[in-house]
C-alpha cells in the first residue's frame, strides 16, 4: 500500500526545489531571451509550482489515518502542477497556443485538490498518527 504522507512529503519537497531552480533559471538564463509576456507566464508557473509543492507538504502533515481524500488531494495537486505549470512553462518557451487548453484543466485539478484537503482536515481528529 502506498503511504501518501511519504509520497506527498517527498514530492512536495522535490517540487519546491524545482520551483527554486526554475525561478533561478528564468532570472539568469532566460533574462533577455523571452519577452515580458513570456517571462510573466514563467513567473506564474513558478509561483503556482511553489505554492502547490507546499500544499503537498501540508498534505503530508495532516493528522489522521490514510484515506482516499489524502490520495485524491495528492493526485490532484500533482496533476495540477503537471497540467497548469507545465503548460505555462511550455507556452512561455513558444509551444503552440493550443497548449493553453491544458491550463484550465490544471487549475481545476488545483481546486479539486484544495477541496479534498479541506475535507481531509474536517475529517481529521487532530491525532498525530
Amino acid at each position: 500500500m502506498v503511504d501518501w504522507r511519504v509520497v506527498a512529503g517527498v514530492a512536495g519537497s522535490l517540487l519546491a526545489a524545482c520551483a527554486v531552480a526554475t525561478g533561478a533559471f528564468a532570472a539568469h538564463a532566460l533574462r533577455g531571451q523571452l519577452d515580458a509576456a513570456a517571462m510573466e507566464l514563467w513567473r506564474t508557473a513558478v509561483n503556482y509550482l511553489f505554492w502547490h509543492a507546499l500544499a503537498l507538504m501540508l498534505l503530508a502533515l495532516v493528522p489522521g489515518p490514510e484515506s482516499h481524500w489524502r490520495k485524491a488531494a495528492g493526485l490532484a495537486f500533482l496533476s495540477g502542477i503537471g497540467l497548469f505549470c507545465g503548460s505555462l512553462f511550455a507556452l512561455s518557451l513558444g509551444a503552440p497556443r493550443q497548449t493553453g487548453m491544458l491550463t484550465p484543466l490544471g487549475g481545476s485539478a488545483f481546486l479539486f485538490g484544495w477541496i479534498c484537503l479541506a475535507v481531509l482536515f474536517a475529517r481529521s481528529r487532530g491525532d498525530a498518527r
Side-chain angles (χ1 to χ4, degrees):
M1 184 165 130
V2 175
D3 185 343
W4 276 92
R5 288 177 204 270
V6 174
V7 171
V10 171
S13 299
L14 293 175
L15 288 166
C18 287
V20 172
T22 55
F25 180 71
H28 300 287
L30 295 179
R31 188 177 349 150
Q33 304 297 313
L34 300 179
D35 64 21
M39 283 299 283
E40 188 58 32
L41 282 177
W42 192 277
R43 274 190 220 95
T44 300
V46 170
N47 285 333
Y48 276 77
L49 174 57
F50 189 69
W51 283 109
H52 289 88
L54 290 175
L56 282 164
M57 289 184 269
L58 177 62
L59 179 64
L61 299 174
V62 177
E66 274 299 312
S67 74
H68 63 278
W69 292 106
R70 189 182 310 273
K71 179 180 179 179
L75 289 172
F77 288 141
L78 289 169
S79 297
I81 288 169
L83 292 167
F84 185 90
C85 301
S87 65
L88 292 183
F89 284 133
L91 286 168
S92 69
L93 295 174
R97 286 187 53 136
Q98 294 85 348
T99 305
M101 292 188 301
L102 299 174
T103 310
L105 295 174
S108 297
F110 284 151
L111 289 171
F112 182 68
W114 287 108
I115 291 166
C116 290
L117 183 60
V119 171
L120 185 62
F121 268 114
R123 290 180 170 220
S124 72
R125 291 175 285 187
D127 52 0
R129 284 191 262 162

